[in-house]
Amino acid sequence: MKRIIGAAAAGSQGGVKTVAVGEEFAGQRLDNFLLRELKGVPKTHVYRIIRSGEVRVNKGRAGADTRLEAGDLVRVPPVRLPERVTDPAARPAPAREFPVLLEDEHLLAIDKPAGVAVHGGSGVSFGVIEQLRQARSAARFLELVHRLDRETSGVLLVAKRRSALTRLQDQFRGRETGKTYLALVVGAWPVNKKVIDLPLHKFMVAGDDEAAGERRVKVVARDDPDGMRSITLVKVARRLGSYTLLEVTIKTGRTHQIRVHLASQGHPIAGDDKYGDFELNKSLHREGLKRMFLHAWRLQFQHPASGEPVALEAPLPSDLQQFADRHAPTSAPV
């Protein structure tokens, strides 16, 4: 029988398990509970058995976003794991610590470098969270509060307690946090301040080229039934020659929101390989900008235990700072 995560098996019949939710998993979403319980099972399959009603909570159907409570009984159907193919390149995540911006017994805030995914999956063997768990093997609980794109650097929150995770995620869902990024865009941004309120839609790239099957996002009409309202606040921080450094605050956390909203205004982020100016990106690479100029600069929230306001800032990484310095007016360096 599979390992029971934070719980005891209340019973099983015909390969079906009933799992009692432990105190440490109170408040967790059903999908995340199952992904941990059914290690190795593809995420798409986990969502499929939830939608089909094969998974039950206290004998009733439940959605993926159902919040579990201590003592809930979760019916877990038998799941056939795919045959394992030994990959000689597959290795456990290496232990790694990251620059710490704030740490206490409830949370850990780090300055994530660009080029590192926040978690494994979708062709990535491991990410920040797996490396942290290896480095802190004695830690009982480490979970991502939110996510950043792989090529985006900056402030990333990790919860060290279940209670901190649920309270912080509630703030993110309720738009009670302040998330401000620094983005360098191509061209002269026309106004000092702007609100971009345009719905976004996720889709998969069709065709047979190398981009086929990739997830992309586009702006759609306001009456599009698939559009998700997305709000981005833009403020000019500096004019840097033929570029503009922007402070970008997001009120909604949609996939690729900043990248698509800025590109939709005719000012893509420098170095953006999905929504940017591809020919310009080649020249930027030769100049030393080898990745997208997007950095999660500032994060404001209420501490999950004390309720006190917290404001964190991660300085621009050296590669981005050096590129900005080269384009800054000599009379007013960045």
Side-chain angles (χ1 to χ4, degrees):
M1 180 178 287
K2 287 180 65 61
R3 183 166 63 100
I4 303 302
I5 303 296
S12 62
Q13 183 177 5
V16 174
K17 290 190 306 179
T18 302
V19 181
V21 177
E23 288 283 351
E24 65 270 41
F25 292 99
Q28 187 172 39
R29 285 171 51 119
L30 175 61
D31 53 356
N32 291 330
F33 182 83
L34 289 173
L35 287 168
R36 182 182 286 271
E37 172 67 19
L38 300 174
K39 288 188 182 297
V41 176
K43 184 180 293 187
T44 53
H45 189 71
V46 170
Y47 284 101
R48 189 179 303 126
I49 61 176
I50 295 174
R51 287 195 302 269
S52 69
E54 295 177 77
V55 175
R56 300 283 177 126
V57 177
N58 299 328
K59 299 185 178 180
R61 293 184 70 127
D65 59 352
T66 297
R67 296 282 173 179
L68 299 174
E69 297 181 7
D72 279 351
L73 299 179
V74 180
R75 178 190 188 275
V76 182
V79 177
R80 185 186 298 276
L81 288 173
E83 292 293 328
R84 287 188 177 273
V85 177
T86 302
D87 180 1
R91 298 182 179 88
R96 181 179 179 182
E97 290 280 2
F98 298 88
V100 174
L101 301 172
L102 173 69
E103 182 172 10
D104 59 25
E105 64 270 31
H106 301 279
L107 62 87
L108 167 66
I110 66 167
D111 187 356
K112 184 188 89 68
V116 183
V118 294
H119 59 73
S122 301
V124 179
S125 299
F126 54 83
V128 168
I129 193 65
E130 290 85 3
Q131 293 179 87
L132 277 175
R133 287 170 181 160
Q134 287 284 74
R136 299 172 175 230
S137 57
R140 294 185 59 189
F141 187 92
L142 288 173
E143 292 285 353
L144 291 167
V145 174
H146 61 118
R147 287 162 174 73
L148 294 176
D149 285 349
R150 183 175 183 175
E151 292 307 315
T152 302
S153 53
V155 184
L156 181 68
L157 286 186
V158 176
K160 296 170 68 175
R161 292 187 178 182
R162 170 65 55 190
S163 58
L165 178 66
T166 55
R167 288 168 189 165
L168 288 168
Q169 288 183 334
D170 285 345
Q171 290 183 50
F172 276 83
R173 277 192 299 272
R175 304 180 187 177
E176 299 168 7
T177 59
K179 295 174 285 185
T180 302
Y181 295 69
L182 293 176
L184 188 75
V185 297
V186 178
W189 190 265
V191 292
N192 185 50
K193 294 183 179 180
K194 183 179 180 66
V195 177
I196 304 173
D197 185 355
L198 295 171
L200 299 175
H201 169 60
K202 286 193 292 187
F203 66 99
M204 302 296 287
V205 177
D208 54 5
D209 61 12
E210 63 181 34
E214 286 188 8
R215 179 184 60 180
R216 294 290 172 88
V217 179
K218 62 182 179 181
V219 169
V220 294
R222 295 188 186 278
D223 58 355
D224 190 310
D226 295 322
M228 301 288 289
R229 190 181 186 193
S230 307
I231 303 171
T232 303
L233 311 182
V234 182
K235 177 183 177 183
V236 172
R238 292 296 307 279
R239 307 283 182 181
L240 297 174
S242 58
Y243 305 94
T244 309
L245 184 65
L246 302 176
E247 294 180 14
V248 184
T249 300
I250 54 175
K251 293 299 183 180
T252 52
R254 311 300 182 200
T255 301
H256 297 172
Q257 176 176 326
I258 295 175
R259 301 165 70 176
V260 176
H261 267 176
L262 296 182
S264 75
Q265 306 300 297
H267 298 276
I269 297 176
D272 188 341
D273 63 355
K274 281 186 169 63
Y275 309 101
D277 183 325
F278 306 115
E279 289 304 314
L280 176 62
N281 287 346
K282 291 179 183 178
S283 64
L284 292 176
H285 196 274
R286 292 191 292 271
E287 278 192 63
L289 184 63
K290 302 184 185 300
R291 56 103 161 183
M292 177 173 59
F293 199 124
L294 182 62
H295 177 67
W297 171 49
R298 178 185 293 159
L299 181 62
Q300 296 167 292
F301 58 94
Q302 291 183 332
H303 192 278
S306 68
E308 293 295 316
V310 179
L312 301 174
E313 285 190 8
L316 272 178
S318 59
D319 58 338
L320 301 188
Q321 185 66 61
Q322 289 168 12
F323 185 84
D325 288 344
R326 284 198 295 273
H327 291 270
T330 55
S331 59
V334 172

